[in-house]
Amino acid sequence: MSLLDVTDLTVGFDTEDGHVHAVKGISFSLEEGEILALCGESGCGKTVTAMAVPRLLPPQTTRLSGSIRLDGRELTTLPEPLMRQVRGKEVSVVFQEPMTSLNPSFTVGFQIAEVLRRHENLSRAAARNRAAELLELVGIPAPAQRIKEYPHQLSGGMRQRVMIAIAVACSPRVLIADEPTTALDVTIQAGVLDVFRDLRDRLGTAIILITHDLGVVADIADRAVVMYAGRAAEQAPVEELFARPRHPYTLGLMKALPAAAVTGPAGRRRLAEIPGMVPSPLADLDGCAFHARCPQRQDDCLAARPPLVRHGPAHLAACFHPGHSGEQP
Amino acid sequence: MTEPVLQIDSLVKHYGQVRAVDGLSLTIGQGEVLGLVGESGSGKSTVGKCVLRLTEPTSGTITLGGRDVTHLSRRAMRPLRRDVHMVFQDPYSSLNPRFSIEQIVSEPLLRHKLASRREAYGRVAAMLEKVGLRTEMMTRLPHELSGGQRQRVGLARALILEPRLVVADEPVSALDVSVQASVLNLITDLQRDMGFSCLFITHDLSVVEFLADRIAVMYLGRIVETGPTADLFAEPRHPYTQALLSAAPVPDPVKARERRRIVLRGDVPSPLDPPAGCRFHTRCPLAFDACRTVEPELADPRSGVHPAACHLVTPEHRPDAAVPGRTIEY
Ligand SMILES: Nc1ncnc2c1ncn2[C@@H]1O[C@H](COP(=O)(O)OP(=O)(O)OP(=O)(O)O)[C@@H](O)[C@H]1O
Ligand SMILES: Nc1ncnc2c1ncn2[C@@H]1O[C@H](COP(=O)(O)OP(=O)(O)OP(=O)(O)O)[C@@H](O)[C@H]1O
Ligand code: SF4
Ligand code: SF4
Ligand SMILES: [Mg+2]
Ligand SMILES: [Mg+2]
C-alpha cells in the first residue's frame, strides 16, 4: 500500500455539448516523500486528475468512478464533513493563479493564520508566530514584516510562496501543486522549486506536481506520468523516462523542444513537429488515441486500445509498437 | 555596412512614475533576428510598442531604415507602417473575433489600398498557404481555430505586406510544445525566405537560442548584456545573465541535477524606484561598494568581446580582488 493509490480513475463532465471524457481510467500511486509529475499537453486531463483527489471538481456536473485511497482510506465515498478534514490538513493544493486565490483584503499573515486556527486549533498569537515561521520556511526574507502586508504589496513570486506556505501550514501528507511556477520568471522559479525539494526533504511531504514543462520535470520529479487525451501514455522514473522514452508521444514531446533542435538542409535549424491535433474530449474512440499523429502507427493500432505494459522496473507504456529500449531521443 | 533596419537610441518610456524603459539603445541589421529577453516587467513589450508607436516614447530616437520616426505624426507614420508589423503573444485576443480569417489577413492590404478586394483574396490565399493553413480556413472565425492555427493567422496578417521588420512579442509562449515547434519552424522558414528582420521578444531562453542571431538581455528597463547568440550562451558575462542561464530548465535529468544553479536572493526591485548605481546590485551575489553608487556602462574597451554593463567586466571601478570576467561560483 502506498500513501496514495489512484486506481482506474475516470472523470467525465455533463455539458451542453455532450459528455466530456476528461480522464479515462488512470492509475498511479504516490509514496511518502516522492515527487510525482503529471505532464502532457493542454487539455489532457492533468488538473482534473489531480483535483479529483481532494474532491475539488464541481459536484453537479462531475461523473466520477474508480478508487482513490489515502493511507488505505477510500476518499471517493467519504462523507463531505470528513472530506473537509482531509482537505487542507492531509491533502492540500497550490492553485495556478496566485493572485486570484489570495484574498486581497486581508494581510498574508492573517490568511495563513486562518488556516492554522481552523485546522489546528491554535491561539491567535501562536498562529501568528507559526505564520511567520512558515514564510521563513518558503524563503521569504523579513517574515515578521511580510505577515503584515497585503497580497498586492508582494511580487508574483512571493505571492506564489505565500500560497505554498498556506498549503503546507498544516503539514499535509500530500501537496498538489498545479503549474506552480508557470507564471514565474526562471530565476524565481528556481527558488520555488527549491522550496518544494526542501519540504520533501524536511517533512517528507509527497508532492504531485502538474506541469507541461519537461525541464521542470527533469529538474525536480522522481517519477512522471505522461498523459495523452485523458489516459497515461507512459509512466516511469524520471531518469529512465528521459533516457529511454518508449511511447512515441513522449519521444515526440522531447524531440519538439527547442533544446533538441537539429540542423537540417541548407543549415536551417529544425525542430521535430508532432503533426495534427489532440482528439476532441467529446468523443472516445476505440484504438490508440495518438494514432492520427503517430509516426510509428500500424494497422492494428486502431483495432484495440493499447494497454499499459511494463518495460522495466516501474516503467509502463501504452503502445503496441514502442521504441526499442536503449533508443535515445 | 548597410544601414540598420531598426536603430533605437537612448529610448526612455515612463508611465507616470513607472520607469518601464530607461535609456536603451539597440540596432537590428538587415535580415537579422534579435532576441530580447529578460524578467517579467523589465520593459520588453514596452520597447516593442515604442517601435510600432503603439505608445509614445518619453524621449530618445527610433530610426526605421534610416528615417527618424520618433516624432512623426500618425498620418506621416502611416506609409511606414507597411514596413513594420507586430505579432502578439495571445493569438486569441489580438484577432477580431467577429471577422473571418480572410478579413483579418486582408485588412492591412485594404487599409493601405495595396490591393482591390479581388486581388486581396488571391494574396491572402497564397499567404495562408505559406503559413500552412488550408484556404478553406478563410471563412472561419478565430474561435473556430486551435491556438497554433490562430498564431499562424497572426503571422499571415503580419507578413502579408512583406514588412522589413517584424516585432514578435512572445508569439509562442502560450502554445504547447508540439504546436510551438511547428510555429517556430515556420517563423525560421519565413524569415529565411522573405528576409525580414525581427525583434523577437520572449522570456524563454531556449526559444531565442533556437531562433536569434543576436541576443539583448534586459533588466529593469535597460540592456545589461548583448552579443551574438552563441557567444552569450557560451560565455555569459553579466551576473544577471549568468543567473538566468543557470536557472533555465534543461530537459535532461542528469544535467539538471548536476549543474549548479545560481539562486538569486533579495527582493526584485520596483521600476517605480530603481536602485541607485547598478540596478542589479540588490540581488547580485558579486556586488561590491562601487556597485551601489556608480552605474556601469554597457561597453567593453576590448575589441571582439561582447559588452556587458557590469563593473567586473569594465576595469575602472573594479576592486583589485575581483578578476576580470569573473563568474559566480558556488
Ligand atoms: N468543469 C468542467 N466541465 C467540463 N469540462 C471540463 C471541466 N473541467 C475540465 N474540463 C475538460 O476536461 C479536459 C481536461 O481538462 P484539464 O483541466 O484537466 O486539462 P489540463 O491537462 O490541466 O490542461 P492545461 O494544461 O490547459 O491546464 C479538457 O477538455 C477540459 O476542457
Ligand atoms: N500602460 C501601462 N501603464 C502603466 N505601467 C505600465 C504600462 N505598461 C507597462 N507598464 C509597466 O512597465 C513595466 C514594463 O512593462 P512591460 O510590459 O514592458 O514588461 P515586459 O518585460 O514585457 O514583461 P512581461 O515579460 O511580463 O511581458 C512594468 O512595470 C509594467 O507594470
Ligand atoms: S499504439 Fe500504435 S498509434 Fe498508438 S502510440 Fe503506439 S505505435 Fe503509435
Ligand atoms: S556592477 Fe556590481 S552589482 Fe552590478 S552586476 Fe556587476 S558586480 Fe553585480
Ligand atoms: Mg490544468
Ligand atoms: Mg511583455
Side-chain angles (χ1 to χ4, degrees), chain A residues 42-53:
Chain A
S42 183
C44 69
K46 305 180 292 293
T47 299
V48 170
T49 300
M51 295 309 157
V53 176

PDB file of all heavy atoms in Angstrom, chain A residues 42-53:
ATOM      1  N   SER A  42      -1.907  20.755 -23.011  1.00  0.00           N
ATOM      2  CA  SER A  42      -3.105  21.406 -22.519  1.00  0.00           C
ATOM      3  C   SER A  42      -4.350  20.567 -22.823  1.00  0.00           C
ATOM      4  O   SER A  42      -4.532  20.097 -23.940  1.00  0.00           O
ATOM      5  CB  SER A  42      -3.214  22.770 -23.210  1.00  0.00           C
ATOM      6  OG  SER A  42      -4.314  23.449 -22.707  1.00  0.00           O
ATOM      7  N   GLY A  43      -5.180  20.379 -21.817  1.00  0.00           N
ATOM      8  CA  GLY A  43      -6.437  19.651 -22.011  1.00  0.00           C
ATOM      9  C   GLY A  43      -6.338  18.143 -21.853  1.00  0.00           C
ATOM     10  O   GLY A  43      -7.334  17.435 -22.009  1.00  0.00           O
ATOM     11  N   CYS A  44      -5.147  17.613 -21.545  1.00  0.00           N
ATOM     12  CA  CYS A  44      -5.008  16.155 -21.479  1.00  0.00           C
ATOM     13  C   CYS A  44      -5.573  15.579 -20.180  1.00  0.00           C
ATOM     14  O   CYS A  44      -5.662  14.360 -20.032  1.00  0.00           O
ATOM     15  CB  CYS A  44      -3.555  15.736 -21.674  1.00  0.00           C
ATOM     16  SG  CYS A  44      -2.472  16.181 -20.315  1.00  0.00           S
ATOM     17  N   GLY A  45      -5.935  16.437 -19.221  1.00  0.00           N
ATOM     18  CA  GLY A  45      -6.590  15.929 -18.019  1.00  0.00           C
ATOM     19  C   GLY A  45      -5.757  15.990 -16.752  1.00  0.00           C
ATOM     20  O   GLY A  45      -6.113  15.385 -15.744  1.00  0.00           O
ATOM     21  N   LYS A  46      -4.674  16.744 -16.755  1.00  0.00           N
ATOM     22  CA  LYS A  46      -3.795  16.823 -15.591  1.00  0.00           C
ATOM     23  C   LYS A  46      -4.524  17.400 -14.379  1.00  0.00           C
ATOM     24  O   LYS A  46      -4.532  16.820 -13.291  1.00  0.00           O
ATOM     25  CB  LYS A  46      -2.564  17.705 -15.898  1.00  0.00           C
ATOM     26  CG  LYS A  46      -1.765  17.289 -17.105  1.00  0.00           C
ATOM     27  CD  LYS A  46      -0.571  18.183 -17.353  1.00  0.00           C
ATOM     28  CE  LYS A  46      -0.889  19.604 -17.777  1.00  0.00           C
ATOM     29  NZ  LYS A  46      -1.516  19.713 -19.107  1.00  0.00           N
ATOM     30  N   THR A  47      -5.128  18.580 -14.573  1.00  0.00           N
ATOM     31  CA  THR A  47      -5.792  19.253 -13.456  1.00  0.00           C
ATOM     32  C   THR A  47      -6.962  18.425 -12.939  1.00  0.00           C
ATOM     33  O   THR A  47      -7.128  18.249 -11.728  1.00  0.00           O
ATOM     34  CB  THR A  47      -6.272  20.652 -13.894  1.00  0.00           C
ATOM     35  OG1 THR A  47      -5.124  21.418 -14.277  1.00  0.00           O
ATOM     36  CG2 THR A  47      -6.997  21.374 -12.774  1.00  0.00           C
ATOM     37  N   VAL A  48      -7.763  17.881 -13.855  1.00  0.00           N
ATOM     38  CA  VAL A  48      -8.927  17.093 -13.446  1.00  0.00           C
ATOM     39  C   VAL A  48      -8.480  15.874 -12.634  1.00  0.00           C
ATOM     40  O   VAL A  48      -9.049  15.567 -11.581  1.00  0.00           O
ATOM     41  CB  VAL A  48      -9.766  16.685 -14.684  1.00  0.00           C
ATOM     42  CG1 VAL A  48     -10.832  15.665 -14.300  1.00  0.00           C
ATOM     43  CG2 VAL A  48     -10.409  17.911 -15.315  1.00  0.00           C
ATOM     44  N   THR A  49      -7.445  15.185 -13.083  1.00  0.00           N
ATOM     45  CA  THR A  49      -6.926  14.025 -12.353  1.00  0.00           C
ATOM     46  C   THR A  49      -6.537  14.418 -10.928  1.00  0.00           C
ATOM     47  O   THR A  49      -6.944  13.781  -9.953  1.00  0.00           O
ATOM     48  CB  THR A  49      -5.679  13.459 -13.071  1.00  0.00           C
ATOM     49  OG1 THR A  49      -6.052  13.070 -14.393  1.00  0.00           O
ATOM     50  CG2 THR A  49      -5.109  12.257 -12.330  1.00  0.00           C
ATOM     51  N   ALA A  50      -5.764  15.500 -10.824  1.00  0.00           N
ATOM     52  CA  ALA A  50      -5.253  15.877  -9.508  1.00  0.00           C
ATOM     53  C   ALA A  50      -6.357  16.415  -8.600  1.00  0.00           C
ATOM     54  O   ALA A  50      -6.400  16.102  -7.411  1.00  0.00           O
ATOM     55  CB  ALA A  50      -4.143  16.911  -9.666  1.00  0.00           C
ATOM     56  N   MET A  51      -7.284  17.188  -9.155  1.00  0.00           N
ATOM     57  CA  MET A  51      -8.318  17.804  -8.324  1.00  0.00           C
ATOM     58  C   MET A  51      -9.382  16.789  -7.898  1.00  0.00           C
ATOM     59  O   MET A  51     -10.189  17.069  -7.012  1.00  0.00           O
ATOM     60  CB  MET A  51      -8.971  18.992  -9.037  1.00  0.00           C
ATOM     61  CG  MET A  51      -8.022  20.141  -9.292  1.00  0.00           C
ATOM     62  SD  MET A  51      -7.104  20.656  -7.817  1.00  0.00           S
ATOM     63  CE  MET A  51      -5.687  21.455  -8.558  1.00  0.00           C
ATOM     64  N   ALA A  52      -9.380  15.619  -8.540  1.00  0.00           N
ATOM     65  CA  ALA A  52     -10.294  14.563  -8.104  1.00  0.00           C
ATOM     66  C   ALA A  52      -9.883  14.060  -6.719  1.00  0.00           C
ATOM     67  O   ALA A  52     -10.729  13.619  -5.947  1.00  0.00           O
ATOM     68  CB  ALA A  52     -10.291  13.416  -9.118  1.00  0.00           C
ATOM     69  N   VAL A  53      -8.601  14.140  -6.393  1.00  0.00           N
ATOM     70  CA  VAL A  53      -8.118  13.600  -5.114  1.00  0.00           C
ATOM     71  C   VAL A  53      -8.731  14.349  -3.928  1.00  0.00           C
ATOM     72  O   VAL A  53      -9.374  13.731  -3.080  1.00  0.00           O
ATOM     73  CB  VAL A  53      -6.572  13.582  -5.077  1.00  0.00           C
ATOM     74  CG1 VAL A  53      -6.076  13.116  -3.709  1.00  0.00           C
ATOM     75  CG2 VAL A  53      -6.015  12.686  -6.179  1.00  0.00           C
TER      76      VAL A  53
END
